[in-house]
Amino acid sequence: MTETATVRRSRLTPEREAELYAAVLDLLREVGYDALTMDAVAARTRSSKATLYRQWGGKAELVAKAMRSNKPHTNIADVDTGSLRGDLHTLVSSTDDSAMEQNNALMRGLAMAVHSNPDLLKAFRELIIEPEMMEIRRVVQRAVDRGEVRQDNPAVEYVLHMFVGAFVARGMIDDQPPTQSFLRSYLDAVVLPALGVSTTP
Amino acid sequence: MTETATVRRSRLTPEREAELYAAVLDLLREVGYDALTMDAVAARTRSSKATLYRQWGGKAELVAKAMRSNKPHTNIADVDTGSLRGDLHTLVSSTDDSAMEQNNALMRGLAMAVHSNPDLLKAFRELIIEPEMMEIRRVVQRAVDRGEVRQDNPAVEYVLHMFVGAFVARGMIDDQPPTQSFLRSYLDAVVLPALGVSTTP
C-alpha cells in the first residue's frame, strides 16, 4: 500500500466530520473561543491533534467550518416562491428557534474573538457572512428581475445588516432570544417596507 | 466633626468621578469585562477599593455607570428640528466617529459578559438601553403627533433594533467601523422608509 493510499484512507467520513463539528460547537458554547483548545477538541472527540491540524489547519478554520456545518444544507436561494416576501419568510423558517438560540450563543462567544484574531475573522467572513450575502443577493436580484424591487433602492445593500441587527438586538433590547415569529414580524415591519415591497400576503 | 459630615465630605467631585469613569472605560477596552478587577481600577485611579464599593456597590454598577457617562450630556430628545429625519440625523451626529468606534469596542467586550452576569445585564438595560429607548420613543412620538408617522406603523417598535443592528452588523459584514456617514446612509435607506417617511431632505 502506498503512503498516498494510506493518507486517502485516513480522511474522515461525513458522519465522523459531523460528529467532530458538533463537539466543537458544544465546546464553544461551554467555554467560548478563547478558552477552546485543540487538546480539548481532541480529547472530547477521541481523535489525535495531528488529525485535526491535517484536516483543518488550525483552530480558527475548524471553528468556522463547524459553524458553517451548523447551517441547513438546503440552498435557500434555490427556493423560488414567486415573491420576495415568500422567499424571505422561507429563509427565516429554515432555522428553528432552538437552533437560532444556539447560533445566538455562538455569536456572543465569537464577538470579541473575531475582532482580535484576523484568521478567525477571515474564516468567519468567508464561511459565514459571504455565503449569506450571496444567498440574499440572489433572492433580492430575483425580486428586482420580477419588478418587485427597484435596482437602485439603497436598502438593497443593507438587507443582511437589517437581519443580523434584529438578531443581535433582540437579546440586548428585549432580553428575549431571537425566534422565527420575531423575525417574521421584523421582516414585515422593517425589511420589506424598506425595500418598497407591500407586506400584504 | 460628626461622622456623617466626614462621609458627606468624602463624596467624589464631578471631575474626580469623570476621571474614574474614564479609567474604567480604558481598562474595559484593554482587558474586557471579565478580566477587569476592582483592584485594577483602584490602582489605576489611586483610590481605595472601599471608596469604589461605597460609591458604586460593585463592578457591574461601576462599569454600567462608566458606560453611561460616556454618552453626550445633551438630551437629544429635547432637540426638535421640525421633522423626524432632522431629529434622527441630529441623534446620529451627536456621537463622533472616534467615540463611535470606542463604543463599538466596549459593546464587543461586554457582549458575552452581559449574558452571563445578571447584575451587569440589569445595569446595562437600565442605564444604556432604556434611556436610549425613551429618547427614541419621544422623537418618534413627536413624528406621530406631527402626522409624519402612523401610530400603528409596526416599525415604530423596532427603531432601536434597526440602529443597534446597523451598528453591530457594520463590523461583521463590511469589516468597517460604524461611522456617522454610514449611519446617515442607513437612516435614509432603511429606518425612514420603514417608518413610511420620505427621505427627501
Side-chain angles (χ1 to χ4, degrees):
Chain A
M1 195 185 292
T2 66
E3 201 184 322
T4 308
T6 311
V7 169
R8 193 174 296 136
R9 193 167 293 172
S10 78
R11 290 188 62 163
L12 305 180
T13 62
E15 292 73 20
R16 178 70 178 137
E17 201 175 72
E19 198 178 289
L20 270 159
Y21 287 153
V24 169
L25 294 176
D26 283 344
L27 277 167
L28 259 180
R29 291 187 194 100
E30 289 166 28
V31 302
Y33 183 81
D34 288 330
L36 184 146
T37 63
M38 290 298 253
D39 280 311
V41 176
R44 175 78 61 104
T45 59
R46 297 176 310 283
S47 48
S48 76
K49 272 170 66 175
T51 302
L52 299 178
Y53 279 107
R54 190 174 57 241
Q55 292 281 331
W56 288 281
K59 181 168 114 170
E61 194 73 7
L62 173 56
V63 165
K65 286 251 169 78
M67 288 186 74
R68 183 71 195 150
S69 76
N70 204 32
K71 304 280 302 170
H73 289 98
T74 53
N75 190 340
I76 195 66
D78 291 337
V79 181
D80 185 349
T81 65
S83 75
L84 181 61
R85 184 172 189 273
D87 288 359
L88 290 178
H89 275 268
T90 303
L91 178 67
V92 165
S93 303
S94 67
T95 308
D96 71 28
D97 288 352
S98 96
M100 244 186 254
E101 177 45 31
Q102 290 192 319
N103 289 344
N104 203 17
L106 284 177
M107 301 250 293
R108 282 199 297 271
L110 287 166
M112 196 77 185
V114 295
H115 282 272
S116 54
N117 182 328
D119 284 346
L120 183 64
L121 177 62
K122 186 165 177 288
F124 178 76
R125 291 181 50 75
E126 286 177 5
L127 293 168
I128 310 289
I129 299 294
E130 280 163 26
E132 291 284 350
M133 290 288 280
M134 275 182 55
E135 290 207 343
I136 286 178
R137 280 208 189 100
R138 281 185 60 197
V139 165
V140 172
Q141 187 57 47
R142 272 206 308 261
V144 169
D145 294 343
R146 275 185 208 112
E148 279 190 287
V149 172
R150 281 178 47 179
Q151 180 87 59
D152 65 352
N153 183 319
V156 162
E157 289 306 307
Y158 294 134
V159 177
L160 190 56
H161 297 75
M162 292 187 247
F163 271 117
V164 168
F167 195 87
V168 172
R170 179 65 166 167
M172 285 169 55
I173 296 173
D174 306 312
D175 199 11
Q176 298 268 332
T179 58
Q180 289 189 352
S181 96
F182 164 72
L183 285 178
R184 276 191 215 105
S185 157
Y186 187 82
L187 189 54
D188 285 343
V190 171
V191 182
L192 292 167
L195 290 167
V197 173
S198 161
T199 57
T200 316
Chain B
M1 193 186 293
T2 66
E3 200 184 323
T4 308
T6 310
V7 169
R8 195 173 295 135
R9 193 166 294 172
S10 79
R11 289 188 63 163
L12 305 180
T13 62
E15 292 73 22
R16 179 68 178 137
E17 201 174 72
E19 197 177 291
L20 271 160
Y21 286 152
V24 169
L25 294 176
D26 283 345
L27 277 167
L28 260 180
R29 290 188 195 101
E30 288 165 29
V31 302
Y33 182 82
D34 289 329
L36 184 145
T37 63
M38 290 298 252
D39 280 312
V41 176
R44 176 76 62 104
T45 60
R46 297 175 311 281
S47 47
S48 77
K49 271 171 67 175
T51 302
L52 298 178
Y53 279 106
R54 190 173 58 242
Q55 292 281 330
W56 288 281
K59 180 168 115 170
E61 195 72 8
L62 174 56
V63 165
K65 287 251 169 73
M67 287 185 73
R68 182 70 194 150
S69 76
N70 203 33
K71 303 281 303 170
H73 289 99
T74 53
N75 190 341
I76 195 65
D78 291 338
V79 182
D80 185 349
T81 64
S83 75
L84 181 62
R85 183 174 190 272
D87 288 359
L88 290 178
H89 275 267
T90 303
L91 178 66
V92 165
S93 303
S94 67
T95 308
D96 70 27
D97 287 353
S98 97
M100 242 186 255
E101 177 45 31
Q102 289 191 320
N103 289 345
N104 203 18
L106 285 177
M107 301 251 291
R108 280 198 298 270
L110 287 166
M112 196 78 185
V114 295
H115 282 271
S116 53
N117 182 327
D119 285 346
L120 183 64
L121 178 62
K122 187 164 176 290
F124 178 76
R125 290 180 52 75
E126 285 176 7
L127 294 167
I128 310 289
I129 298 294
E130 280 162 27
E132 292 283 350
M133 289 287 282
M134 276 182 56
E135 290 207 342
I136 286 179
R137 280 207 188 99
R138 281 186 59 199
V139 165
V140 172
Q141 188 56 49
R142 273 207 307 262
V144 170
D145 294 343
R146 276 186 206 111
E148 279 190 286
V149 172
R150 283 177 48 179
Q151 181 87 60
D152 65 353
N153 182 319
V156 162
E157 288 306 307
Y158 294 133
V159 177
L160 190 56
H161 298 75
M162 290 188 249
F163 271 117
V164 168
F167 196 85
V168 172
R170 179 65 165 167
M172 285 168 54
I173 296 173
D174 306 313
D175 199 12
Q176 299 267 332
T179 58
Q180 290 190 352
S181 97
F182 163 71
L183 285 178
R184 277 193 215 104
S185 158
Y186 187 82
L187 189 53
D188 286 344
V190 171
V191 182
L192 292 166
L195 290 165
V197 173
S198 160
T199 57
T200 316

